[in-house]
Amino acid sequence: MKRWLVLGLLLGAALLTGCSGSGLSDRVPVKAIYVEKETRFEARLLVLDAAPNADTGQVSEQARCLSGSGDTVYEAMLNAEQSESRRLFYGQSELLFIGPGLMEEGAFDACRYLASNTSGRPNMAVYGLDTDPAGFEQLQEKGTDFLCSVQQLEKRGIFKTYLYQFGADSDCGLIPGLSVKEGSASFEKLTLYKDGTPDAVWKGAKAQLARLLAGQADALELTLEPLSVSFQLRSPKLRFQPSYSEQGMELAVNFSGAIHRLVSPEGAALPGKDKGLEQAIDKEVRVLLEELVADTLGRGNDVFLLSSRLANLDEGLCRAMGSDGRLARPGTVKFHCLLRMV
């Protein structure tokens, strides 16, 4: 009896560890998912195969693309999966790319489906991609170069949206957009969604400042085109001060940071020697921040959760201001910038 009990326990352990017949060596890891909507839904699964190198004796990874189409995202994914004889493993999948057509209509529906499906992982980063299904398939020709370029963008700092944020009731949010050139990715824009459809597109400095308001920036690379200046902003800090006002409440936001590596047509600016330029930078940044608030809170789309700062002072009054439109009025959020060259 004891012998049978021991055998039963060993068999159960083998099943739990996946050693009963299909190990990881029998699976194909999926590294990225691409979904697009043309006449039908298109799915592309970027998988990696281990390929031994006879010269070096080492194992390298080779990229392949599995393709499928269907009347729904489910059908497109299923047909892509069935084009591979081996079992697919989604445990290492890190990236979800949305094609340009789907970014215009249906992106949130597709993300919500994948968020509830076993092929989608909660911590997958979601990006819009400006290439069609055929273009995405061609990315495999350069191996893992494209995936590496996305990873480098993430290391340098880019707005991040994750699949778990697309819950059943989610219809507002931001999706960063990437551009593909010569097999490499570059950050292009941020698309703001309201009711599941695009409501605004931010590029350049405005997209970078959106990272700041979303609490995703410990450093910023800003180019202010009206001033023809570019610089790195280190240690950016936002300090929120809600207070009562004639309109109910207002939120003062103090923005400070250290300007490094400033480049302008006049050459390098010396710290403490060009107060006029610093003031001009403060003014331009304040204008961009006000435009971001107008695009979001001003349209009833509080993706930066600014109203929660007011709710900390008076939750009931904050709800009332949201109901009668006072939250959306210009001037409810006021920025004060103090960016200085060091």
Side-chain angles (χ1 to χ4, degrees):
M1 178 63 71
K2 291 183 178 180
R3 184 173 63 182
W4 286 109
L5 179 60
V6 171
L7 287 174
L9 291 173
L10 290 175
L11 177 60
L15 290 172
L16 288 173
T17 56
C19 300
S20 60
S22 178
L24 289 176
S25 60
D26 299 323
R27 303 180 186 181
V28 179
V30 178
K31 297 300 291 186
I33 299 174
Y34 169 94
V35 185
E36 172 64 319
K37 175 67 181 296
E38 294 183 328
T39 54
R40 306 178 77 196
F41 284 96
E42 301 287 340
R44 302 292 184 267
L45 309 179
L46 195 62
V47 302
L48 297 181
D49 288 324
N53 189 312
D55 297 327
T56 63
Q58 296 180 342
V59 176
S60 60
E61 292 180 323
Q62 292 184 346
R64 281 192 300 120
C65 199
L66 308 180
S67 305
S69 61
D71 294 330
T72 63
V73 176
Y74 166 76
E75 289 182 3
M77 290 285 294
L78 181 62
N79 289 330
E81 291 171 350
Q82 291 180 343
S83 66
E84 170 61 45
S85 59
R86 288 181 292 170
R87 183 179 178 184
L88 298 182
F89 175 63
Y90 287 94
Q92 298 176 4
S93 187
E94 301 172 349
L95 302 167
L96 171 61
F97 298 107
I98 307 297
L102 201 56
M103 282 287 288
E104 290 296 322
E105 183 178 1
F108 270 56
D109 291 336
C111 289
R112 276 193 289 261
Y113 167 74
L114 290 170
S116 63
N117 188 273
T118 55
S119 56
R121 297 179 65 237
N123 60 341
M124 291 177 72
V126 181
Y127 297 107
L129 202 62
D130 69 346
T131 188
D132 61 14
F136 186 81
E137 289 184 33
Q138 293 174 359
L139 294 175
Q140 67 180 311
E141 296 175 2
K142 293 192 176 183
T144 59
D145 289 355
F146 171 70
L147 295 178
C148 290
S149 69
V150 176
Q151 291 172 348
Q152 287 302 314
L153 284 176
E154 293 178 337
K155 289 180 180 179
R156 292 199 301 266
I158 186 175
F159 192 95
K160 299 292 288 291
T161 297
Y162 296 98
L163 190 59
Y164 71 80
Q165 295 174 262
F166 296 87
D169 300 326
S170 173
D171 59 2
C172 297
L174 290 160
I175 299 180
L178 305 182
S179 178
V180 180
K181 294 180 180 178
E182 298 181 353
S184 295
S186 60
F187 176 62
E188 182 184 27
K189 61 186 179 182
L190 270 177
T191 301
L192 172 70
Y193 286 82
K194 182 180 180 181
D195 300 327
T197 59
D199 196 45
V201 176
W202 304 326
K203 297 183 178 181
K206 191 179 288 188
Q208 292 297 321
L209 290 170
R211 290 178 54 218
L212 177 77
L213 290 179
Q216 294 191 19
D218 53 10
L220 295 172
E221 297 285 346
L222 295 179
T223 296
L224 304 179
E225 295 181 359
L227 302 178
S228 299
V229 298
S230 298
F231 56 90
Q232 184 183 80
L233 190 66
R234 299 179 186 175
S235 303
K237 292 183 176 62
L238 293 176
R239 188 158 57 94
F240 299 92
Q241 294 180 309
S243 62
Y244 291 101
S245 68
E246 293 181 359
Q247 300 296 329
M249 287 187 294
E250 64 182 26
L251 181 65
V253 185
N254 297 303
F255 177 27
S256 62
I259 297 174
H260 292 256
R261 300 177 183 175
L262 186 142
V263 177
S264 71
E266 289 75 25
L270 297 176
K273 299 296 184 181
D274 200 335
K275 295 294 184 182
L277 180 56
E278 289 178 333
Q279 291 172 0
I281 289 173
D282 286 344
K283 180 179 178 181
E284 179 61 23
V285 169
R286 186 177 69 250
V287 168
L288 294 175
L289 289 168
E290 289 172 350
E291 290 177 358
L292 287 171
V293 173
D295 287 344
T296 55
L297 189 62
R299 299 182 187 176
N301 187 3
D302 189 17
V303 296
F304 298 127
L305 304 178
L306 295 173
S307 62
S308 66
R309 308 287 180 171
L310 294 170
N312 289 335
L313 178 63
D314 194 322
E315 185 176 357
L317 180 54
C318 183
R319 284 198 302 267
M321 291 178 65
S323 299
D324 60 26
R326 280 179 289 168
L327 276 180
R329 290 179 179 176
T332 299
V333 181
K334 297 180 179 180
F335 290 94
H336 306 274
C337 298
L338 189 66
L339 308 181
R340 293 296 175 259
M341 289 180 279
V342 296

